[in-house]
Amino acid sequence: MASSSSELGFVFLLLFLSLLVASKPQQDSNFLFEGFNNSENHLNLEGATVVKPSGSLKLTNRSYNIVGHAFYYKPFQMLVNTTNTTKILKVSSFSTSFVFSIVPSSSGPEGFGLAFVIAPSTQFPWSSPGHLLGLVNSSNDGSPSNHLFVVEFDTVNGYRSQADSKGNHVGVNINGMNSTVNEPAAFFIEGTEAQKEEFSMEESDAVQAWIDYDGEKKIVNVTIAPISLPTKPSKPLISHPIDLHEVLKESMFVGFSASTGESKASSHYILGWSFSLNGPSAELNSSRLPEPPTKENDPSSTSFPWIKLAVAVLSALILLLIFSLCSLTLYRRYNNFENLEDWELDCPHRFRYRDLHVATKGFKESELIGIGGFGVVYKGVLASTGTEVAVKRIVRGSIQGMREFAAEIESLGRLRHKNLVNLQGWCKRKNDLLLVYDYISNGSLDSLLVNPSVVLSWDQRFNIIKGIANGLLYLHEEWEQVVIHRDIKTGNILIDEDLNARVGDFGLARLYDHGQVSHTTNVVGTIGYIAPELTRTGKASTSSDVYAYGVLLLEVVSERRPIDESGQFVLLDWVVENQSLGQIHDVVDPKLNLNYDEEEVELVLKLGLLCAQHRADLRPTMRQVIRYLNFDDPIPVTGAESSRMSSGFLEVVSASTISASYNLSSINSMSSRLVEAGRQPCTC
């Protein structure tokens, strides 16, 4: 009897667990949302919200110039290996179905629509609203580097034209907003050969869409119909051949994006959503979905003329009152009003100061994670998304605060590379100048090197060295302009959770066109990393970045500072001396306990001396540096004399400028415990 009870209990337990698993969204290859209550942990929302208690997902409201994103929180494997012996990748088939509702504005033109998106990231930091649907901007629209697959449900015509008009179409787009194929919103009536029934997506209470891609046949099918239609139409609205092999990456996110414009706005809702990889998506049960939002009646449609007149008079009085109040408010606050400057117009992703103040707990000292010559850095958590960010607060009273702020926005804001820090946006309010960028969990390379409880292995150090080189190569040669960083040092190299290097802090960066010469005339940087030619000409170049990189290489291997607190020890001299004595391995950090590759260590030390030569024309380019690090080319032999001349220069600079560096910014007096000796910014 006891055995029977035990077996019965085990059966009930299995049933309970199966029901529990079935009630949650599937995370491996499919999921199902019939309403979005309690789904926040499975969605990445930016500008979008879950409406309580209905459970509908609102992408945008009827405010102007806004964007809403909602993506499933985990990426899907969109490219798979077809065999176990080759690296040929095949595009996975996928299927999705969702129900959406568009509520146009009752007081003006509606727009701009929504889109189903497959993208490599859930972040679109420089995207624009309106016709671009919050996915791209005018400069990168259509770029193959976007890797976007988009099915748009557009309610405004006029993309790339002078005037807008009412739209009602479905389009399939690749990497931007130019549709490969589009059709007016319609569905095929059952029982007819080719009779197509058009309908308005805005006027319908809700619309169901089905998107199916066959990875074998390379065909995408798009079908839509009003939610009132009992079954899915048997014939798709769009059936188009398209090869996504060059569009999709191996790991991609799926979700939605919607936007409004400067004078057109609608609310965009998702009521239910299912998705499946390599199989049909689950059917949505309309009885379980949230009720579609109410469509508001247009007041201008009333049949009573006297009501129209009363509304018109009342509206005029209200407008007059609002105008008077605004005029009074502007008059009282005239002195505090800030006009946007020219450089601000090119940097559209502006955060609200209030959001950053809340994210950093009022810029509380406990959230302070770093300090430098032009400002302090706080850790923050954005309340809207829960995303961790780093907020750099620049001291406007510093010598070059405003100019460096603009430079960092212009340069870092448009740079994109895996070994650079990603700028998310900015904020300017009175005397507060703020940059918001990715929070890098492990902090700076400098903090890891001096931390006695952390020992980076040689493999980790060698990987970091290569990552910095790749980032500098991108800056010097691979971006649209040449970017001179001008402050390469371990304190400006951040290390992410995978121990990869990210070059950051572009406050001193300068840009110029390829084929031209830099025209910078002032000496900036950090003592110990400044190239000797800068004191003679004041002109920074890619070679001066290479010099600083060379010093950094010696520092990573030895875990010694370029110049000690007394100014008597110069790292470059020490390494040259050990090299001349045949004791080059004596400079290796003793904490490695001889656990390193001798050939790689010797290569890095020789490369550091090669990069830190006195003569700029003898230093390698970053492309040559990478070839040396990959053992593609033998490294040239360097003479000790040129390195000693460079070291002598460091002693002169140290004696003449280190005092000036302490006065560079009043920020140093705020928290002297965070400023380490030998790391002070220098400007002459």
Side-chain angles (χ1 to χ4, degrees), residues 102 104 166 168 199-207 295:
I102 302 176
K166 186 177 179 63
N168 184 47
F199 70 100
S200 169
M201 293 186 291
E202 290 176 325
E203 293 177 3
S204 299
D205 288 340
V207 178
K295 306 276 185 175

Side-chain angles (χ1 to χ4, degrees), residues 507-559:
L508 299 180
R510 288 293 177 267
L511 290 77
Y512 60 92
D513 292 332
H514 290 281
Q516 294 186 352
V517 178
S518 169
H519 297 292
T520 57
T521 56
N522 59 323
V523 181
V524 296
T526 300
I527 293 174
Y529 300 89
I530 302 174
E533 67 269 13
L534 289 177
T535 59
R536 300 193 304 273
T537 66
K539 291 185 177 181
S541 66
T542 55
S543 291
S544 55
D545 275 356
V546 172
Y547 179 92
Y549 176 74
V551 176
L552 183 146
L553 292 183
L554 304 181
E555 187 177 357
V556 171
V557 175
S558 66
E559 206 168 281

